[in-house]
Amino acid sequence: MKEYYENCISKYLKLDATLSGEKSAKFIFSILLLFFFVLILSLNIIYPLYADDWGYVFKEGTNFTQRNSGISDILHSQYSHYFGHGGRTVVHIIAQYLLFLGGYWTDLLNSVAYILFTFVIYKISNIDRKVNPTLFFFINILIWFFQPAFSQTILWITGSANYLWGTLIIISFLYFFCQSFIKESNKSSASKTTIFFFAGIIAGWTNENTALGMIFMICLLLIYLKRTHNPIPMWMITGLAGAIIGFIIMAAAPGNYVRYEGIIQTNEVIQQSKIKYYLTRLLPVIGDFYKFALPLVMIYSLALVTYIYFDKKRNIRIIYLSLCFCAAGIIADMAMIASPEFPSRAWFGIITFFIIAIGIIYANLKTEHIYLSVIKTLLIFFASVYFLLTYQKGFKDLYALNEVFKRREQIIDQQQNKAEFDFVTKETINPQTALPMIDEVPSDSEHWINYFYIKYHKIRSFKIESEK
């Protein structure tokens, strides 16, 4: 029995060593890259336009009568949007441009953005390390299972632009800071200093809580370099300055205050005391942290303890960098105290920071130890099976929902006079899984989603007729 056991272990180690070879690892990594791209593209293709998507195709100020005809109309729309609704100009330009392109181009670009997003997370986690296919695999698995609003932040175009694309810009910007920090590189130049200033403005002008977490993290890296008497490259300083400026431009948008005034009028607590209002927001934010982030914090803690235990020559900068991402996640979470609402999609950047923290530690684990190697293999097997099962169910559910939307569009297209068409239907969408995250179009003509729907399809009204 002992000889059989030792023989199995020997064969397992040989197979693991073969698969871990440079050529094999690169091949497996390429296959995984293509595999996840195909999966996400398939979901993008069947995910319908919804809600804000119907409104953002129109040029601002035209009362939903004129669609954007090019980048000039989009810039005009976002100029008006900045003063009337909010300051996320960069990501809303992306949203409107994707909607302007439409069709398969939109699906393709959104899928490329997802793959770039996962790849940048991988690159930050795997700085100065050899190719690691399992790391890339686990990054995708963590995103699938732990992003609480996967569809709303990755598949829905408006949500994707705000969260997937916005966070992609932020972590791409952070990658260079992380790379310089780990490699202890202090090279700088006039052109790099200038480029990072403007890149910082764009990164800071994306998403409020995630950008704030980014700024806080950069400050932590600079503090470490200062306290350890390491030279700080000028491009880091200008990059941070640019990020702060971009964040201020976004936060200071007059449109934010227009919406804030509307909230004040309907919120008695904030009318009485702002301090009391923020205190009432504290508990829900902490509660959501336990709900959405705590499992990742526990995974990170387990990975960190394992790393410290098995690697006696542990890299302090690796640990510090991972902790910086955890701190960025916490700050991004706490920033939501200032927001009157905290939808699950707003967790996207926060969860991303924690996934990167886990990725950094995992990439540096010495999995050559037989116990860790076996655990890794078992995790890959069970995660793969569970992922494929949930993906298949989610795909089937989303496909059925999309078919309902398609049938409605076919009925509308058959009308000779759409402007006089009152659309009444008994067929409703009925999601069976958590993947779609799409609600039925309300029958209330005063509801904004209903309004956007009829304007987009150029019909007079839409209503769900209830069966008695």
Side-chain angles (χ1 to χ4, degrees):
M1 186 68 179
K2 183 179 179 181
E3 291 182 2
Y4 175 77
Y5 172 77
E6 291 177 349
N7 186 43
C8 288
I9 293 296
S10 177
K11 289 181 178 179
Y12 170 80
L13 291 174
K14 286 180 181 179
L15 178 62
D16 187 58
T18 301
L19 294 176
S20 301
E22 186 176 356
K23 288 185 178 180
S24 298
K26 286 182 178 180
F27 176 75
I28 295 171
F29 185 87
S30 300
I31 294 298
L32 285 174
L33 204 68
L34 180 61
F35 174 72
F36 284 110
F37 174 76
V38 170
L39 291 184
I40 204 68
L41 178 61
S42 301
L43 292 177
N44 267 305
I45 289 172
I46 63 172
Y47 200 89
L49 297 183
Y50 179 70
D52 299 70
D53 295 344
W54 297 322
Y56 273 130
V57 301
F58 294 98
K59 183 179 178 179
E60 191 85 12
T62 63
N63 197 27
F64 300 96
T65 58
Q66 182 183 334
R67 298 197 178 200
N68 292 313
S69 59
I71 191 66
S72 60
D73 284 350
I74 293 172
L75 293 176
H76 168 82
S77 294
Q78 286 312 309
Y79 178 81
S80 300
H81 194 272
Y82 185 81
F83 289 94
H85 187 74
R88 293 184 189 176
T89 307
V90 172
V91 293
H92 283 145
I93 287 174
I94 294 172
Q96 288 201 289
Y97 188 71
L98 288 172
L99 291 165
F100 165 71
L101 288 175
Y104 290 113
W105 276 112
T106 301
D107 299 329
L108 182 64
L109 287 174
N110 210 44
S111 301
V112 169
Y114 173 79
I115 290 301
L116 286 175
F117 172 71
T118 56
F119 185 71
V120 174
I121 293 176
Y122 166 83
K123 291 293 289 183
I124 293 174
S125 304
N126 208 44
I127 291 172
D128 211 22
R129 308 285 298 179
K130 65 180 183 178
V131 179
N132 191 338
T134 59
L135 171 62
F136 184 73
F137 170 80
F138 281 125
I139 287 169
N140 282 273
I141 292 299
L142 289 174
I143 292 170
W144 176 261
F145 288 116
F146 290 99
Q147 282 293 356
F150 184 90
S151 292
Q152 287 189 353
T153 53
I154 293 174
L155 305 176
W156 178 43
I157 298 303
T158 301
S160 173
N162 273 272
Y163 299 100
L164 171 63
W165 288 76
T167 309
L168 170 60
I169 292 171
I170 285 173
I171 63 174
S172 297
F173 182 67
L174 280 175
Y175 167 73
F176 297 96
F177 288 83
C178 298
Q179 183 186 50
S180 177
F181 181 77
I182 294 299
K183 291 188 173 183
E184 302 185 37
S185 173
N186 302 308
K187 294 180 180 179
S188 191
S189 65
S191 59
K192 191 174 183 180
T193 298
T194 305
I195 289 171
F196 269 85
F197 175 73
F198 290 105
I201 292 176
I202 294 173
W205 198 352
T206 50
N207 181 282
E208 293 84 358
N209 68 322
T210 312
L212 191 63
M214 171 192 70
I215 291 169
F216 183 76
M217 178 180 166
I218 293 173
C219 290
L220 289 178
L221 293 179
L222 296 184
I223 289 171
Y224 181 95
L225 294 176
K226 182 70 176 177
R227 290 184 66 86
T228 54
H229 307 292
N230 285 279
I232 300 174
M234 183 53 65
W235 64 265
M236 283 192 176
I237 303 296
T238 58
L240 175 60
I244 294 172
I245 291 171
F247 178 81
I248 292 172
I249 293 172
M250 175 176 58
N256 289 330
Y257 298 96
V258 171
R259 286 191 297 140
Y260 183 69
E261 288 299 321
I263 293 168
I264 291 177
Q265 293 175 7
T266 58
N267 193 306
E268 294 182 3
V269 177
I270 199 171
Q271 290 176 7
Q272 295 172 3
S273 169
K274 289 185 178 180
I275 295 176
K276 185 179 180 181
Y277 168 73
Y278 291 134
L279 287 175
T280 60
R281 291 287 304 131
L282 180 60
L283 286 178
V285 168
I286 294 175
D288 281 350
F289 183 87
Y290 279 96
K291 180 180 178 181
F292 296 123
L294 187 61
L296 290 173
V297 172
M298 294 175 67
I299 293 172
Y300 170 76
S301 301
L302 180 61
L304 181 60
V305 169
T306 305
Y307 172 68
I308 292 173
Y309 179 81
F310 282 98
D311 193 345
K312 304 305 179 184
K313 298 180 180 179
R314 46 192 172 271
N315 188 332
I316 297 300
R317 290 201 177 205
I318 290 294
I319 297 174
Y320 186 82
L321 182 62
S322 69
L323 289 171
C324 283
F325 273 104
C326 286
I330 293 171
I331 292 298
D333 175 36
M334 298 305 292
M336 295 306 294
I337 293 173
S339 175
E341 56 182 9
F342 195 172
S344 58
R345 59 180 176 270
W347 275 92
F348 189 83
I350 303 167
I351 297 299
T352 298
F353 285 143
F354 283 112
I355 288 175
I356 295 174
I358 293 169
I360 291 170
I361 297 299
Y362 176 82
N364 289 273
L365 280 175
K366 291 187 177 299
T367 54
E368 292 84 1
H369 195 287
I370 184 61
Y371 295 119
L372 293 182
S373 184
V374 170
I375 290 172
K376 178 187 73 174
T377 303
L378 291 173
L379 283 174
I380 291 172
F381 174 76
F382 288 111
S384 298
V385 172
Y386 192 40
F387 167 73
L388 291 173
L389 287 173
T390 55
Y391 179 90
Q392 183 269 335
K393 290 181 180 178
F395 182 91
K396 184 180 179 180
D397 191 24
L398 186 57
Y399 183 84
L401 181 148
N402 186 43
E403 288 298 300
V404 174
F405 277 89
K406 279 185 176 181
R407 283 193 289 271
R408 291 177 183 177
E409 290 172 3
Q410 288 170 358
I411 293 171
I412 292 171
D413 290 339
Q414 291 170 1
Q415 305 306 309
Q416 293 182 348
N417 187 3
K418 293 182 182 180
E420 299 297 323
F421 179 50
D422 294 308
F423 194 165
V424 180
T425 180
K426 292 182 179 179
E427 184 181 35
T428 61
I429 61 172
N430 186 28
Q432 301 296 308
T433 67
L435 179 63
M437 299 194 77
I438 292 178
D439 295 322
E440 183 58 90
V441 178
S443 294
D444 182 7
S445 59
E446 299 297 320
H447 196 285
W448 65 272
I449 293 181
N450 183 293
Y451 183 75
F452 282 0
Y453 184 80
I454 64 174
K455 287 295 183 180
Y456 179 82
H457 291 96
K458 301 178 183 178
I459 59 177
R460 186 163 62 184
S461 68
F462 175 84
K463 183 180 180 181
I464 303 289
E465 187 178 74
S466 301
E467 294 186 11
K468 295 182 180 180

